[in-house]
Amino acid sequence: MARRKLVAGNWKMHGLASDIAEVSAIAESAKEYGEVDVALCLPATLIERASRAVPTFAIGGQDVHGAQKGAHTGDISAAMLTDAGAKLTIVGHSERRTDHGESDAAVRAKAETALASGLDVILCVGESLEVRERGDALAVVTAQLEASLPTNDTASFGATGLAVAYEPIWAIGTGKVPSIADIAEMHAALRGRLVAAYGDAGQAVRILYGGSVKASNANEIFGVDDVDGALVGGASLKAEDFLPIVEAAAGR
Ligand code: PEP
């Protein structure tokens, strides 16, 4: 099945008001690649400013609470994200799972609430180096996906409302990337689980690869079956690093 590629940047805890010019530069250049969906997931403090600067470009958050509102100091709700102009959000990034002890159940609740609130969702899964080295990556990551997948009616969020990002923890920010065969094996297994969970609609869910994607490896990674784009950390901070990845996704 042909799926439009999605290239999403994750700025993590980087970015001040002075960096909105970089967001604008990325958004402007991304217009040249109309065949690819491009998004930037920014720190919460920049979402509204960025959304005003580039209203037709997809700005996202990096986390959302599983509850609609309430006594959750420091958290952000789906309504707050959409109110600020966000179109999507990441949930379950390994840095959230590790730094904040987020369980699969919490990640599922976040995804369900975000989708029900009209946000698109990028749901992250991935294994540690220890798990990879003992040969359990497939079993652990597919179990993580099954336990984190939202149970919303697929018709309610449509073909592009949910994306899954396979992000091996040991590949994030390290310059290390799994072999192409390992990426292909994992993405095929995740596709199987998505179809088992959602039927035909599982074919439409995009599966992104994330972990040290850069201009020099993007072409090869995007050539793998069931790699429908990328979640990009470090290389999304500057237009000069990010745009070549978008260009590779466009197949140019
Ligand atoms: C990420 O944190 O989602 C990520 C993929 O980071 P990097 O591209 O820097 O490895």
Side-chain angles (χ1 to χ4, degrees):
M1 177 185 204
R3 286 172 289 265
R4 258 175 87 81
K5 285 200 168 40
L6 166 63
V7 180
N10 172 14
W11 275 27
K12 310 192 185 194
M13 203 169 70
H14 301 288
L16 299 173
S18 52
D19 296 303
I20 291 295
E22 200 66 36
V23 174
S24 299
I26 289 171
E28 190 51 38
S29 307
K31 286 183 189 161
E32 287 173 40
Y33 304 97
E35 63 273 55
V36 178
D37 291 331
V38 184
L40 285 178
C41 295
L42 299 177
T45 48
L46 289 187
I47 292 172
E48 179 163 14
R49 215 181 306 241
S51 300
R52 285 187 197 280
V54 290
T56 59
F57 182 77
I59 297 295
Q62 301 171 8
D63 181 46
V64 65
H65 201 279
Q68 297 282 6
K69 59 179 166 181
H72 303 292
T73 303
D75 279 312
I76 190 157
S77 73
M80 291 169 184
L81 286 176
T82 52
D83 192 44
K87 306 283 190 301
L88 72 153
T89 185
I90 297 170
V91 299
H93 191 283
S94 60
E95 286 153 15
R96 301 277 327 164
R97 290 178 186 261
T98 304
D99 295 356
H100 300 272
E102 289 183 4
S103 65
D104 291 334
V107 172
R108 166 177 280 162
K110 288 166 186 270
E112 290 177 346
T113 302
L115 289 169
S117 308
L119 288 164
D120 289 348
V121 164
I122 299 174
L123 165 59
C124 302
V125 292
E127 82 283 1
S128 64
L129 186 58
E130 189 206 337
V131 166
R132 169 62 61 183
E133 285 179 342
R134 52 164 213 261
D136 288 341
L138 274 188
V140 166
V141 176
T142 53
Q144 198 181 25
L145 180 77
E146 283 168 343
S148 316
L149 265 188
T151 59
N152 312 49
D153 179 356
T154 50
S156 71
F157 57 79
T160 55
L162 175 67
V164 169
Y166 167 54
E167 298 209 307
I169 299 168
W170 52 272
I172 294 178
T174 60
K176 294 181 190 154
V177 177
S179 70
I180 290 298
D182 284 346
I183 294 175
E185 184 182 40
M186 184 64 78
H187 280 238
L190 295 174
R191 176 69 59 209
R193 294 309 194 281
L194 288 168
V195 171
Y198 298 139
D200 274 354
Q203 293 285 3
V205 174
R206 292 180 286 198
I207 308 176
L208 316 182
Y209 168 78
S212 297
V213 175
K214 21 187 200 290
S216 56
N217 58 22
N219 261 318
E220 199 182 10
I221 293 170
F222 291 145
V224 176
D225 277 354
D226 281 309
V227 171
D228 307 312
L231 183 56
V232 183
S236 70
L237 293 170
K238 296 276 171 227
E240 70 201 55
D241 297 325
F242 192 51
L243 267 302
I245 298 172
V246 176
E247 185 171 316
R252 299 199 205 162

